[in-house]
């Protein structure tokens, strides 16, 4: 489903860019696609590092209380890891 969405969006975006400025459609599309990719390249690792600092993550929709005891964080298991 995601591949279909991204594929259709890429084609439709290219057609819209061509309708706006047919002479520079390739440069404009490159700019429109490249700027978000550049931000993602920089900020995804930053967001991941900040997320890692917040502690152990659990699957969405559940909490530590919902997980089985074997999956709960045990501070005695790793003295260097904060729980």
């Amino acid at each position: 489903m995601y591949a279909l969405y991204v594929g259709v969006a890429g084609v439709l975006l290219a057609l819209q860019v061509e309708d706006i400025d047919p002479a520079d459609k390739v440069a404009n599309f490159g700019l429109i696609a490249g700027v978000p990719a550049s931000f993602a390249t920089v900020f995804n690792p930053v967001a991941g590092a900040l997320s890692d600092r917040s502690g152990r993550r659990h699957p969405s929709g559940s909490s530590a209380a919902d997980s089985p005891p074997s999956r709960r964080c045990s501070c005695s298991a790793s003295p260097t890891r904060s729980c």
Side-chain angles (χ1 to χ4, degrees):
M1 188 67 171
Y2 179 73
L4 177 66
Y5 172 74
V6 171
V8 170
V11 171
L12 293 177
L13 182 60
L15 291 174
Q16 288 176 344
V17 169
E18 184 179 11
D19 286 343
I20 294 170
D21 187 10
D24 292 326
K25 64 183 177 185
V26 175
N28 290 334
F29 185 72
L31 184 66
I32 291 170
V35 170
S38 299
F39 278 105
T41 301
V42 172
F43 290 111
N44 283 348
V46 170
L50 291 173
S51 174
D52 289 343
R53 292 178 57 127
S54 69
R56 183 180 172 119
R57 294 179 304 277
H58 300 281
S60 63
S62 68
S63 67
D66 294 336
S67 62
S70 62
R71 304 269 326 239
R72 291 185 189 146
C73 184
S74 173
C75 292
S76 62
S78 176
T80 59
R81 183 177 180 157
S82 62
C83 294

